């Protein structure tokens, strides 16, 4: 089973990844910091795509996938074709669940207690702060599109309502696989 955690900075992805990993015994993979160029974007997307093709044979938690996060953060039109390929694959992949980590706008815009990740530098965090409204809107629009597609298993997670939402995620996962 493949579990993809996505959402803006401050959404609780890494915290959720650690909790799911501990509870389910599944490894977490993070793609690293922002790709330096389009070639690195393509390489990461191909690597992640190879794992998705094995979704009935491997278990992994992705704390972001390049094809989604880089599309949103950079917003460059040349990434649209890369994303279209990923989206087609996501619609046909078996045993893939996408968790949209989405707390309140107020929480997403508050970087006061942001935990800087190993893959982030000050410039990455500043970019997220400066573009937070656009990033939130683009994630919301993308996940509204995903929600309309019955072939993509999407669960919304709000860590501010942790206990209720976490149980929903575990329930959704248990429908897909026997949880250890």
């Amino acid at each position: 089973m493949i579990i993809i955690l996505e959402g803006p900075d401050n959404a609780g992805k890494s915290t959720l990844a650690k909790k799911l990993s501990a509870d389910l015994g599944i490894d977490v993979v993070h793609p690293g910091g922002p790709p330096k160029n389009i070639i690195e974007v393509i390489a990461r997307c191909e690597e992640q795509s190879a794992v998705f093709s094995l979704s009935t044979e491997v278990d992994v938690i992705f704390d972001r996938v390049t094809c989604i996060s880089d599309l949103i953060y950079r917003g460059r039109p040349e990434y649209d074709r890369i994303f279209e390929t990923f989206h087609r694959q996501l619609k046909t992949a078996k045993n893939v669940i996408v968790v949209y980590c989405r707390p309140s706008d107020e929480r997403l815009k508050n970087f006061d207690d942001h935990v800087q990740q190993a893959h982030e530098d000050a410039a990455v965090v500043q970019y997220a702060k400066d573009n937070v409204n656009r990033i939130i809107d683009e994630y919301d629009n993308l996940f509204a599109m995903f929600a309309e597609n019955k072939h993509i298993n999407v669960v919304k997670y709000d860590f501010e309502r942790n206990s209720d939402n976490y149980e929903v995620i575990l329930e959704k996962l248990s429908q897909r696989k026997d949880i250890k």
Side-chain angles (χ1 to χ4, degrees):
M1 174 186 312
I2 307 295
I3 303 168
I4 299 171
L5 307 180
E6 267 297 346
D9 284 74
N10 286 339
K13 295 176 301 299
S14 296
T15 302
L16 178 59
K18 289 175 193 167
K19 186 169 177 57
L20 286 170
S21 179
D23 288 351
L24 303 176
I26 300 174
D27 290 332
V28 176
V29 175
H30 192 287
K36 294 173 182 50
N37 54 52
I38 189 94
I39 300 303
E40 196 172 321
V41 169
I42 292 167
R44 285 187 191 181
C45 289
E46 285 180 354
E47 198 173 83
Q48 292 161 8
S49 184
V51 175
F52 298 156
S53 69
L54 299 172
S55 62
T56 59
E57 301 165 40
V58 299
D59 295 330
V60 68
I61 298 167
F62 278 100
D63 182 350
R64 282 205 162 140
V65 289
T66 303
C67 292
I68 293 175
S69 60
D70 215 61
L71 171 80
I72 288 175
Y73 276 78
R74 290 189 201 236
R76 294 173 56 177
E78 62 267 29
Y79 290 8
D80 288 351
R81 284 189 44 209
I82 296 169
F83 176 74
E84 287 169 15
T85 301
F86 166 76
H87 188 223
R88 276 194 305 276
Q89 184 179 19
L90 189 58
K91 287 194 300 190
T92 60
K94 302 213 181 322
N95 291 336
V96 176
I97 294 179
V98 183
V99 179
Y100 180 29
C101 297
R102 180 56 165 94
S104 67
D105 283 4
E106 180 181 350
R107 178 68 189 107
L108 290 172
K109 294 175 183 181
N110 180 359
F111 280 79
D112 292 345
D113 59 350
H114 176 75
V115 177
Q116 191 164 324
Q117 304 293 324
H119 61 272
E120 294 178 324
D121 61 24
V124 169
V125 175
Q126 189 60 50
Y127 180 86
K129 284 182 190 179
D130 293 345
N131 293 280
V132 69
N133 290 322
R134 180 189 61 77
I135 291 167
I136 291 170
D137 288 346
E138 294 208 17
Y139 266 111
D140 285 348
N141 291 337
L142 177 66
F143 276 88
M145 181 186 75
F146 280 176
E148 291 174 5
N149 188 319
K150 302 298 181 212
H151 299 289
I152 300 175
N153 293 301
V154 177
V155 179
K156 189 173 178 182
Y157 175 72
D158 177 352
F159 74 85
E160 294 171 313
R161 295 178 25 210
N162 187 18
S163 60
D164 293 343
N165 280 185
Y166 191 70
E167 294 304 318
V168 169
I169 291 171
L170 291 179
E171 177 64 26
K172 185 85 165 177
L173 293 173
S174 71
Q175 294 169 5
R176 305 293 293 175
K177 175 183 176 170
D178 292 329
I179 295 180
K180 300 169 187 170

